[in-house]
Amino acid sequence: RGRVEEPVVELEVVLGRRVPLRARGRALGVLTVASRSEGRYSPAEIALGEEFALRAGLVLDNAWLYRDAERRSAMKKTITDNAAACLVLVDAEDRATFMNPAAVTMTGYRLAELEGRRLHDVLHGIEAPSGPSAEADEPPWSSPTRAREDTFVRRDGTSFPVSCNVA
């Protein structure tokens, strides 16, 4: 429906050459080059066909890699968006880089509100208006301990118990 069907055109091929489409050491397909002229392909034409096949193979491989990455990303988003657990990723300086919807609901903070702020200070209510407290203790994720019970403070000032797991 809505497609225009092109008639199949049969060519009388006199000269043909197949060039493999390859990427990362794998064969992805074959490019067939055909001509209705008699004679041989020149070395320059053969080199051009091989270069075209090489680039076409890379384009195909990149498209497939991109499609697979998009699928994995969508799956991770589905999992994290629907997880009941509070999931927060932090960088080496204790700044939040990811929060799932459960984390936003539990803490009352959106990721954009935490930008540039130490997550530990914010969630312990020890962040001074001018910045983090000098005597702030270390966040549970900075130690080799993999799990720890703690209490966090929501944006509205109420507290709630948590079990922090570092992965």
Side-chain angles (χ1 to χ4, degrees), residues 12-154:
E12 292 183 28
V13 175
V14 174
L15 181 63
R17 183 174 180 92
R18 290 189 180 101
V19 185
L21 300 174
R22 302 184 64 79
R24 296 184 292 139
R26 298 182 309 150
L28 305 175
V30 176
L31 173 68
T32 302
V33 180
S35 174
R36 294 187 340 188
S37 303
E38 290 190 35
R40 295 180 166 251
Y41 289 114
S42 71
E45 290 171 322
I46 292 171
L48 178 63
E50 289 172 347
E51 181 67 23
F52 184 83
L54 172 69
R55 291 174 188 240
L58 292 173
V59 167
L60 279 174
D61 191 48
N62 283 337
W64 291 335
L65 289 170
Y66 182 80
R67 180 198 59 203
D68 292 346
E70 287 290 308
R71 284 182 183 162
R72 284 191 302 276
S73 180
M75 182 182 291
K76 283 183 224 171
K77 182 170 176 26
T78 299
I79 292 167
T80 60
D81 282 359
N82 292 292
C86 176
L87 302 173
V88 180
L89 301 179
V90 295
D91 63 16
E93 293 162 356
D94 190 33
R95 311 284 194 267
T97 59
F98 170 83
M99 293 175 72
N100 72 337
V104 173
T105 300
M106 286 183 203
T107 66
Y109 290 100
R110 291 185 324 271
L111 183 60
E113 294 176 281
L114 298 174
E115 189 174 324
R117 299 163 70 185
R118 284 189 72 222
L119 185 65
H120 180 257
D121 292 349
V122 173
L123 295 180
H124 281 90
I126 56 176
E127 185 179 48
S130 61
S133 167
E135 58 274 345
D137 58 332
E138 287 300 311
W141 40 88
S142 67
S143 70
T145 305
R146 305 303 278 174
R148 172 179 144 183
E149 301 300 314
D150 206 341
T151 301
F152 285 171
V153 179
R154 290 184 183 92

